Amino acid sequence: MYTLTNIDQYHFPSGPDSETYVLEAHRTAAGLATVSSDQALSLFDPSRVGSGPLASLRTDHGNVTTMRAFDAATGVVCTAGEDGSVGVWDLRAGASARVARFRAGQASILSMACSPSTQTIAVGTELENHAASIHLWDVRSTPSPKATYSEVHSDDITSLAFHPTRPQILISGSTDGLASVHDTSVPDEDELTVQTLNHNASIHDAAFLNDTEVFALSHDECFAVWDVAEERVGGDAIKDFGDLRKVLGCQYVANVVTKVDGSGAILGAGAQDKQNFELIFLSKAANNEWALDLDNRVVLPGSHGSEIVRSFCFFDDEQVVFTTGEDGNVKAWRAG
C-alpha cells in the first residue's frame, strides 16, 4: 500500500444554493482542464493549482454533462451538455478558445468519445421520444454529421469509447444493461453492431483495455472483462469481479482510466464514511488472468472529505495525481 499527500488544491466558489461540483478533469498539453457545475471550463497550471484557473470559459450547454480531451497533445478538448450541443476548445487560445460549436440533436448528451486520427466526435444521448442515439460528427473546419444510430440501445447511452488502434470501432454502454461493439465503417445500422455484451445492470463506464478486451462497470459497481476478438463470439465475461464494493471495501467507483500501452487500467474507488479514496491497478497476473492488485493500492487519505470524488487523472512526468469532487475542490497529490 502506498500513501499520497495532498500538496495543493483549489476551491471553486459555491453557488447561491449549493456547492459547485467539479465534474471532470483531463490532462492536456495546455494544462489541467476541468468542467464544473457552474458551467465553467477551466484551465489550470498543474504546478500551482491553488493559484486558481489560468482561464475560465463559459460552456453554454444549459448544463455541462461531460468533457473529453480531443487531442491532449495540442490542448484541444470537447464539452457537451443538456441542450444537445458540443463545444470544441483550443485551450492555448485564451479568451477565444472555442473554435467550434454544433448541436448534435435535441436530447441531452450524456457521453462522448473523440478520435483525433479521424477527426471524429461521438456523442451518446439520453432516451427521448423513445429513442437514445449515437451521433458521429466530423469536426474538420466546419463540423458536419457523419452518422446517427438510434436503434442500438433502448435506454440512455452513458458511455462511449473508441478502439485504441482501429478508430472505426466504437464501444457504447447504456442503462439498458448492454455494452455493444460497433463497426462505424458499416453504413447499414442493422449490420453496425459487431458484438453485444449483457452486463445485466445499468452501465456507468465501458472501454477497451487493449485491442481485443473490454471492461464494463455498472452503476451498482459490478465489474467484468470480456474478450471481443472475432474468434470469441460468446457473450460470457472472461473475468467477472462482481460487486466491487465487496471486493474493494468501497462505496463507489468514480471512474476507470485505461493505460495507453494496453497493460490494464486504474480504478478509482471511494468511501465517503472513511473520507478515503484509493487507486487500484487492474492488470494480468502470472496466469494471464485479469486481477486487481489489492496489495499495492494507492491511498489518498482525507480525499474530498465526506463528499464523492467525481474523477481523477495523472500527470506522469510530474508524478502528480489530480482529483475533483462534489466538495468543489480540485486537489493535487504526490508521494511523500
Side-chain angles (χ1 to χ4, degrees):
M1 186 174 74
Y2 303 90
T3 301
L4 302 186
T5 301
N6 179 206
I7 58 169
D8 200 4
Q9 68 182 62
Y10 174 77
H11 181 74
F12 279 81
S14 300
D17 302 314
S18 62
E19 191 76 65
T20 297
Y21 290 3
V22 191
L23 305 173
E24 293 189 48
H26 291 279
R27 175 180 181 166
T28 78
L32 177 72
T34 69
V35 285
S36 46
S37 62
D38 60 357
Q39 314 316 315
L41 166 62
S42 301
L43 178 67
F44 292 87
D45 180 340
S47 67
R48 49 185 186 91
V49 166
S51 298
L54 300 171
S56 183
L57 306 159
R58 185 165 181 82
T59 54
D60 292 326
H61 298 304
N63 280 311
V64 64
T65 54
T66 187
M67 173 181 65
R68 290 291 182 268
F70 181 80
D71 187 353
T74 60
V76 177
V77 302
C78 299
T79 58
E82 199 173 64
D83 65 354
S85 68
V86 176
V88 183
W89 310 78
D90 184 342
L91 295 176
R92 301 165 299 180
S96 57
R98 190 166 69 190
V99 294
R101 187 177 189 272
F102 60 90
R103 188 179 299 276
Q106 298 300 315
S108 175
I109 294 171
L110 303 179
S111 54
M112 180 163 53
C114 301
S115 170
S117 64
T118 60
Q119 296 289 296
T120 301
I121 297 172
V123 296
T125 74
E126 71 176 4
L127 186 70
E128 185 174 269
N129 296 326
H130 311 291
S133 301
I134 297 172
H135 300 279
L136 300 184
W137 279 71
D138 187 322
V139 295
R140 274 176 281 237
S141 62
T142 303
S144 58
K146 295 174 67 173
T148 294
Y149 312 118
S150 300
E151 299 178 358
V152 296
H153 288 290
S154 60
D155 212 335
D156 298 348
I157 298 169
T158 51
S159 179
L160 290 171
F162 283 104
H163 190 280
T165 60
R166 298 166 62 200
Q168 78 274 18
I169 303 298
L170 179 73
I171 186 170
S172 60
S174 169
T175 54
D176 64 8
L178 303 178
S180 299
V181 180
H182 315 286
D183 184 347
T184 64
S185 66
V186 175
D188 187 346
E189 184 171 355
D190 291 337
E191 305 295 328
L192 171 78
T193 302
V194 178
Q195 289 197 41
T196 299
L197 312 169
N198 190 353
H199 198 35
N200 294 307
S202 172
I203 290 177
H204 170 54
D205 197 6
F208 291 91
L209 290 165
N210 51 40
D211 280 352
T212 61
E213 291 168 301
V214 304
F215 75 84
L217 171 71
S218 70
H219 285 106
D220 58 1
E221 322 307 341
C222 291
F223 186 73
V225 176
W226 285 264
D227 189 333
V228 295
E230 290 183 7
E231 63 271 17
R232 294 184 65 99
V233 296
D236 294 335
I238 59 172
K239 180 69 175 182
D240 189 344
F241 291 90
D243 188 339
L244 292 181
R245 292 171 294 187
K246 299 175 181 177
V247 176
L248 303 177
C250 65
Q251 291 174 284
Y252 67 93
V253 178
N255 60 321
V256 181
V257 176
T258 55
K259 293 190 173 181
V260 294
D261 61 2
S263 63
I266 301 168
L267 287 70
Q272 304 100 296
D273 59 355
K274 301 175 185 175
Q275 299 192 8
N276 191 48
F277 192 72
E278 297 180 346
L279 305 177
I280 298 97
F281 294 87
L282 171 74
S283 59
K284 287 193 172 179
N287 62 0
N288 207 37
E289 184 173 296
W290 288 102
L292 293 166
D293 188 354
L294 302 182
D295 294 330
N296 293 303
R297 60 180 74 196
V298 177
V299 180
L300 283 59
S303 179
H304 287 248
S306 59
E307 300 294 340
I308 290 175
V309 175
R310 294 295 294 261
S311 75
F312 66 94
C313 68
F314 303 92
F315 276 61
D316 293 328
D317 295 342
E318 296 82 1
Q319 297 185 316
V320 176
V321 177
F322 291 94
T323 57
T324 71
E326 294 186 0
D327 60 349
N329 286 320
V330 180
K331 291 190 173 185
W333 307 80
R334 180 183 283 143

mmCIF file of all heavy atoms in Angstrom, residues 238-262:
data_model
loop_
_atom_site.group_PDB
_atom_site.id
_atom_site.type_symbol
_atom_site.label_atom_id
_atom_site.label_comp_id
_atom_site.label_asym_id
_atom_site.label_seq_id
_atom_site.Cartn_x
_atom_site.Cartn_y
_atom_site.Cartn_z
ATOM 1 N N ILE A 238 -14.928 -13.054 -19.508
ATOM 2 C CA ILE A 238 -13.791 -13.925 -19.187
ATOM 3 C C ILE A 238 -13.350 -13.731 -17.737
ATOM 4 O O ILE A 238 -12.662 -14.578 -17.172
ATOM 5 C CB ILE A 238 -12.601 -13.674 -20.135
ATOM 6 C CG1 ILE A 238 -12.134 -12.206 -20.066
ATOM 7 C CG2 ILE A 238 -12.957 -14.074 -21.555
ATOM 8 C CD1 ILE A 238 -10.853 -11.949 -20.828
ATOM 9 N N LYS A 239 -13.759 -12.617 -17.133
ATOM 10 C CA LYS A 239 -13.472 -12.371 -15.721
ATOM 11 C C LYS A 239 -14.576 -11.488 -15.155
ATOM 12 O O LYS A 239 -14.757 -10.359 -15.599
ATOM 13 C CB LYS A 239 -12.110 -11.690 -15.540
ATOM 14 C CG LYS A 239 -11.747 -11.404 -14.092
ATOM 15 C CD LYS A 239 -11.479 -12.675 -13.297
ATOM 16 C CE LYS A 239 -10.998 -12.380 -11.880
ATOM 17 N NZ LYS A 239 -10.684 -13.606 -11.128
ATOM 18 N N ASP A 240 -15.311 -12.028 -14.204
ATOM 19 C CA ASP A 240 -16.388 -11.281 -13.563
ATOM 20 C C ASP A 240 -15.980 -11.025 -12.116
ATOM 21 O O ASP A 240 -15.903 -11.952 -11.314
ATOM 22 C CB ASP A 240 -17.690 -12.074 -13.625
ATOM 23 C CG ASP A 240 -18.894 -11.257 -13.163
ATOM 24 O OD1 ASP A 240 -18.686 -10.209 -12.524
ATOM 25 O OD2 ASP A 240 -20.032 -11.664 -13.435
ATOM 26 N N PHE A 241 -15.709 -9.768 -11.796
ATOM 27 C CA PHE A 241 -15.256 -9.417 -10.453
ATOM 28 C C PHE A 241 -16.416 -9.250 -9.478
ATOM 29 O O PHE A 241 -16.195 -9.133 -8.279
ATOM 30 C CB PHE A 241 -14.444 -8.124 -10.498
ATOM 31 C CG PHE A 241 -13.120 -8.260 -11.180
ATOM 32 C CD1 PHE A 241 -13.006 -8.040 -12.546
ATOM 33 C CD2 PHE A 241 -11.976 -8.614 -10.476
ATOM 34 C CE1 PHE A 241 -11.786 -8.167 -13.194
ATOM 35 C CE2 PHE A 241 -10.746 -8.737 -11.106
ATOM 36 C CZ PHE A 241 -10.652 -8.519 -12.478
ATOM 37 N N GLY A 242 -17.638 -9.177 -10.007
ATOM 38 C CA GLY A 242 -18.786 -8.985 -9.139
ATOM 39 C C GLY A 242 -18.870 -7.560 -8.614
ATOM 40 O O GLY A 242 -18.395 -6.615 -9.243
ATOM 41 N N ASP A 243 -19.461 -7.421 -7.443
ATOM 42 C CA ASP A 243 -19.683 -6.120 -6.820
ATOM 43 C C ASP A 243 -18.382 -5.623 -6.198
ATOM 44 O O ASP A 243 -17.894 -6.184 -5.218
ATOM 45 C CB ASP A 243 -20.776 -6.248 -5.755
ATOM 46 C CG ASP A 243 -21.218 -4.906 -5.196
ATOM 47 O OD1 ASP A 243 -20.465 -3.917 -5.306
ATOM 48 O OD2 ASP A 243 -22.313 -4.848 -4.620
ATOM 49 N N LEU A 244 -17.813 -4.551 -6.764
ATOM 50 C CA LEU A 244 -16.527 -4.047 -6.271
ATOM 51 C C LEU A 244 -16.636 -3.436 -4.886
ATOM 52 O O LEU A 244 -15.621 -3.284 -4.199
ATOM 53 C CB LEU A 244 -15.960 -3.018 -7.250
ATOM 54 C CG LEU A 244 -15.515 -3.561 -8.605
ATOM 55 C CD1 LEU A 244 -14.961 -2.436 -9.470
ATOM 56 C CD2 LEU A 244 -14.463 -4.663 -8.455
ATOM 57 N N ARG A 245 -17.839 -3.096 -4.452
ATOM 58 C CA ARG A 245 -17.990 -2.584 -3.088
ATOM 59 C C ARG A 245 -17.584 -3.645 -2.079
ATOM 60 O O ARG A 245 -17.016 -3.342 -1.028
ATOM 61 C CB ARG A 245 -19.421 -2.105 -2.857
ATOM 62 C CG ARG A 245 -19.795 -0.869 -3.656
ATOM 63 C CD ARG A 245 -21.262 -0.549 -3.567
ATOM 64 N NE ARG A 245 -22.069 -1.596 -4.208
ATOM 65 C CZ ARG A 245 -23.373 -1.503 -4.393
ATOM 66 N NH1 ARG A 245 -24.028 -0.401 -4.009
ATOM 67 N NH2 ARG A 245 -24.056 -2.471 -4.983
ATOM 68 N N LYS A 246 -17.852 -4.898 -2.402
ATOM 69 C CA LYS A 246 -17.448 -6.001 -1.531
ATOM 70 C C LYS A 246 -15.984 -6.356 -1.732
ATOM 71 O O LYS A 246 -15.265 -6.644 -0.773
ATOM 72 C CB LYS A 246 -18.327 -7.219 -1.805
ATOM 73 C CG LYS A 246 -19.810 -6.985 -1.544
ATOM 74 C CD LYS A 246 -20.637 -8.190 -1.951
ATOM 75 C CE LYS A 246 -22.125 -7.951 -1.720
ATOM 76 N NZ LYS A 246 -22.942 -9.096 -2.190
ATOM 77 N N VAL A 247 -15.528 -6.318 -2.977
ATOM 78 C CA VAL A 247 -14.146 -6.700 -3.290
ATOM 79 C C VAL A 247 -13.148 -5.688 -2.736
ATOM 80 O O VAL A 247 -12.098 -6.054 -2.181
ATOM 81 C CB VAL A 247 -13.969 -6.833 -4.817
ATOM 82 C CG1 VAL A 247 -12.515 -7.139 -5.166
ATOM 83 C CG2 VAL A 247 -14.899 -7.904 -5.365
ATOM 84 N N LEU A 248 -13.473 -4.395 -2.864
ATOM 85 C CA LEU A 248 -12.530 -3.328 -2.509
ATOM 86 C C LEU A 248 -12.848 -2.662 -1.174
ATOM 87 O O LEU A 248 -12.049 -1.857 -0.698
ATOM 88 C CB LEU A 248 -12.520 -2.260 -3.604
ATOM 89 C CG LEU A 248 -12.184 -2.734 -5.022
ATOM 90 C CD1 LEU A 248 -12.277 -1.580 -6.004
ATOM 91 C CD2 LEU A 248 -10.796 -3.367 -5.064
ATOM 92 N N GLY A 249 -13.984 -2.974 -0.594
ATOM 93 C CA GLY A 249 -14.373 -2.308 0.647
ATOM 94 C C GLY A 249 -14.685 -0.847 0.435
ATOM 95 O O GLY A 249 -14.455 -0.008 1.312
ATOM 96 N N CYS A 250 -15.250 -0.523 -0.736
ATOM 97 C CA CYS A 250 -15.553 0.874 -1.070
ATOM 98 C C CYS A 250 -17.071 1.069 -1.109
ATOM 99 O O CYS A 250 -17.839 0.118 -0.950
ATOM 100 C CB CYS A 250 -14.931 1.255 -2.400
ATOM 101 S SG CYS A 250 -15.611 0.353 -3.827
ATOM 102 N N GLN A 251 -17.486 2.303 -1.355
ATOM 103 C CA GLN A 251 -18.901 2.608 -1.525
ATOM 104 C C GLN A 251 -19.259 2.969 -2.963
ATOM 105 O O GLN A 251 -20.419 2.898 -3.351
ATOM 106 C CB GLN A 251 -19.306 3.755 -0.587
ATOM 107 C CG GLN A 251 -19.289 3.357 0.888
ATOM 108 C CD GLN A 251 -19.543 4.536 1.806
ATOM 109 O OE1 GLN A 251 -18.654 5.362 2.017
ATOM 110 N NE2 GLN A 251 -20.751 4.636 2.351
ATOM 111 N N TYR A 252 -18.253 3.356 -3.756
ATOM 112 C CA TYR A 252 -18.492 3.693 -5.158
ATOM 113 C C TYR A 252 -17.184 3.628 -5.922
ATOM 114 O O TYR A 252 -16.091 3.663 -5.342
ATOM 115 C CB TYR A 252 -19.095 5.100 -5.291
ATOM 116 C CG TYR A 252 -18.144 6.212 -4.874
ATOM 117 C CD1 TYR A 252 -17.323 6.850 -5.801
ATOM 118 C CD2 TYR A 252 -18.060 6.607 -3.548
ATOM 119 C CE1 TYR A 252 -16.446 7.855 -5.425
ATOM 120 C CE2 TYR A 252 -17.189 7.609 -3.151
ATOM 121 C CZ TYR A 252 -16.380 8.232 -4.094
ATOM 122 O OH TYR A 252 -15.510 9.222 -3.701
ATOM 123 N N VAL A 253 -17.291 3.500 -7.243
ATOM 124 C CA VAL A 253 -16.140 3.602 -8.144
ATOM 125 C C VAL A 253 -16.365 4.830 -9.016
ATOM 126 O O VAL A 253 -17.363 4.914 -9.740
ATOM 127 C CB VAL A 253 -15.972 2.340 -9.003
ATOM 128 C CG1 VAL A 253 -14.799 2.500 -9.972
ATOM 129 C CG2 VAL A 253 -15.763 1.106 -8.112
ATOM 130 N N ALA A 254 -15.457 5.795 -8.921
ATOM 131 C CA ALA A 254 -15.628 7.064 -9.642
ATOM 132 C C ALA A 254 -15.482 6.878 -11.143
ATOM 133 O O ALA A 254 -16.361 7.258 -11.924
ATOM 134 C CB ALA A 254 -14.622 8.093 -9.133
ATOM 135 N N ASN A 255 -14.376 6.317 -11.554
ATOM 136 C CA ASN A 255 -14.145 6.056 -12.971
ATOM 137 C C ASN A 255 -12.973 5.106 -13.135
ATOM 138 O O ASN A 255 -12.303 4.739 -12.163
ATOM 139 C CB ASN A 255 -13.932 7.348 -13.772
ATOM 140 C CG ASN A 255 -12.750 8.166 -13.315
ATOM 141 O OD1 ASN A 255 -12.480 8.284 -12.126
ATOM 142 N ND2 ASN A 255 -12.042 8.771 -14.256
ATOM 143 N N VAL A 256 -12.764 4.684 -14.378
ATOM 144 C CA VAL A 256 -11.701 3.742 -14.731
ATOM 145 C C VAL A 256 -10.848 4.395 -15.806
ATOM 146 O O VAL A 256 -11.372 4.841 -16.833
ATOM 147 C CB VAL A 256 -12.280 2.412 -15.241
ATOM 148 C CG1 VAL A 256 -11.163 1.440 -15.589
ATOM 149 C CG2 VAL A 256 -13.227 1.801 -14.209
ATOM 150 N N VAL A 257 -9.543 4.475 -15.581
ATOM 151 C CA VAL A 257 -8.619 5.071 -16.544
ATOM 152 C C VAL A 257 -7.776 3.957 -17.141
ATOM 153 O O VAL A 257 -7.032 3.275 -16.418
ATOM 154 C CB VAL A 257 -7.718 6.127 -15.866
ATOM 155 C CG1 VAL A 257 -6.694 6.666 -16.860
ATOM 156 C CG2 VAL A 257 -8.553 7.266 -15.307
ATOM 157 N N THR A 258 -7.903 3.738 -18.445
ATOM 158 C CA THR A 258 -7.139 2.681 -19.090
ATOM 159 C C THR A 258 -5.723 3.156 -19.394
ATOM 160 O O THR A 258 -5.487 4.336 -19.651
ATOM 161 C CB THR A 258 -7.808 2.225 -20.392
ATOM 162 O OG1 THR A 258 -8.011 3.359 -21.235
ATOM 163 C CG2 THR A 258 -9.155 1.576 -20.095
ATOM 164 N N LYS A 259 -4.783 2.216 -19.381
ATOM 165 C CA LYS A 259 -3.389 2.541 -19.698
ATOM 166 C C LYS A 259 -3.197 2.527 -21.206
ATOM 167 O O LYS A 259 -3.706 1.641 -21.903
ATOM 168 C CB LYS A 259 -2.457 1.543 -19.022
ATOM 169 C CG LYS A 259 -2.463 1.634 -17.499
ATOM 170 C CD LYS A 259 -1.348 0.782 -16.901
ATOM 171 C CE LYS A 259 -1.236 0.991 -15.409
ATOM 172 N NZ LYS A 259 -0.141 0.196 -14.817
ATOM 173 N N VAL A 260 -2.451 3.491 -21.711
ATOM 174 C CA VAL A 260 -2.304 3.628 -23.164
ATOM 175 C C VAL A 260 -1.509 2.483 -23.773
ATOM 176 O O VAL A 260 -1.629 2.215 -24.967
ATOM 177 C CB VAL A 260 -1.635 4.985 -23.525
ATOM 178 C CG1 VAL A 260 -2.542 6.143 -23.163
ATOM 179 C CG2 VAL A 260 -0.278 5.131 -22.846
ATOM 180 N N ASP A 261 -0.711 1.779 -22.978
ATOM 181 C CA ASP A 261 0.083 0.677 -23.520
ATOM 182 C C ASP A 261 -0.689 -0.640 -23.542
ATOM 183 O O ASP A 261 -0.137 -1.684 -23.914
ATOM 184 C CB ASP A 261 1.388 0.505 -22.735
ATOM 185 C CG ASP A 261 1.164 0.169 -21.265
ATOM 186 O OD1 ASP A 261 0.000 0.026 -20.844
ATOM 187 O OD2 ASP A 261 2.176 0.035 -20.532
ATOM 188 N N GLY A 262 -1.959 -0.627 -23.135
ATOM 189 C CA GLY A 262 -2.768 -1.830 -23.177
ATOM 190 C C GLY A 262 -2.528 -2.801 -22.051
ATOM 191 O O GLY A 262 -3.025 -3.935 -22.076
#
